[in-house]
Amino acid sequence: MNRALSNSEDDPVLFMKPDTSLLSGDKKDFYIPDFSADIHYEAEVVVKICKMGKNIAERFAHRYYEEISLGIDFTARDIQSELKKKGLPWEIAKAFDNSAAVGQFVPKDKWGKPMDDLNFSLSIDGRIVQSANTTEMIHPIDKIIAYASRFFTLKTGDLIFTGTPAGVGKVQIGNHLSGEIEGEKLLEISIC
């Protein structure tokens, strides 16, 4: 599973999550792991790669995905902070089991709008905590796909998380998370 975080004006930052990090299905329960006291949510638009590609030109990247969803990149923020201070890689803070929650996939053209103009949001217990539009992304989805494909062969079924808007925060046992794209609920998670 590939994941791109758009956080600079240069190239996207990339990191990988193993398939064991995937949390999917109709109704999901996310269990806070015992190794962290500070798990944060980060809602993101997710694209599903539909055919193999390497060195994909940005102008053709739209041909490599047909479905999108909303996902949550769960992060062990306490572990990530410690590893960053030491200048170490922080995969264990991002790529642990079930740390990549993904909602229901829908056709990317479902709303008749371009991918660079979709509204998405995340609510916790009915209160919106993240709300953004893909126009606000530092790097467009097609650029992220093109950039990632320079380093990794993208395969059918790979998922790319495309970057997090402002509003990330800590989850607690008993929280109910709900994610939408263009007002359509695609993701529901209970925190256990």
Side-chain angles (χ1 to χ4, degrees):
M1 172 183 295
N2 298 315
R3 197 265 194 203
L5 172 67
S6 303
N7 67 355
S8 74
E9 292 185 17
D10 301 316
D11 293 326
V13 174
L14 301 176
F15 62 87
M16 312 260 305
K17 289 191 178 220
D19 58 1
T20 56
S21 67
L22 187 62
L23 176 63
S24 63
D26 290 336
K27 188 125 167 123
K28 298 167 199 53
D29 290 335
F30 173 80
Y31 291 86
I32 294 177
D34 61 2
F35 54 77
S36 175
D38 196 19
I39 299 293
H40 284 216
Y41 60 84
E42 299 180 24
E44 306 184 32
V45 173
V46 180
V47 298
K48 184 190 293 186
I49 299 300
C50 64
K51 62 182 174 180
M52 187 177 288
K54 177 74 175 159
N55 291 315
I56 300 165
E58 187 174 341
R59 69 183 182 276
F60 298 125
H62 67 279
R63 298 178 183 174
Y64 286 82
Y65 64 101
E66 297 170 347
E67 295 179 296
I68 64 169
S69 187
L70 195 73
I72 298 177
D73 170 23
F74 286 108
T75 303
R77 194 71 75 207
D78 47 357
I79 293 173
Q80 182 186 39
S81 295
E82 285 303 311
L83 293 169
K84 280 183 167 183
K85 283 181 200 172
K86 297 175 183 177
L88 297 172
W90 29 277
E91 277 80 8
I92 61 172
K94 289 289 219 177
F96 56 90
D97 290 351
N98 298 318
S99 63
V102 179
Q104 171 189 349
F105 280 90
V106 295
K108 69 180 181 183
D109 59 1
K110 177 177 177 115
W111 298 282
K113 295 176 75 174
M115 287 299 299
D116 61 358
D117 188 21
L118 293 177
N119 296 301
F120 61 102
S121 65
L122 180 71
S123 297
I124 297 182
D125 301 328
R127 183 177 59 88
I128 295 176
V129 293
Q130 287 185 284
S131 181
N133 184 288
T134 52
T135 59
E136 300 168 31
M137 294 172 59
I138 294 169
H139 301 292
I141 292 170
D142 291 351
K143 179 179 179 180
I144 295 168
I145 290 171
Y147 183 74
S149 74
R150 288 177 51 200
F151 306 97
F152 314 110
T153 299
L154 300 180
K155 297 165 97 178
T156 302
D158 280 351
L159 305 178
I160 298 180
F161 284 56
T162 60
T164 302
V168 302
K170 185 175 180 176
V171 294
Q172 311 224 4
I173 291 174
N175 285 156
H176 179 78
L177 283 63
S178 177
E180 299 180 352
I181 296 179
E182 288 297 320
E184 182 172 340
K185 188 184 297 183
L186 298 177
L187 175 68
E188 284 191 82
I189 298 174
S190 294
I191 306 299
C192 304

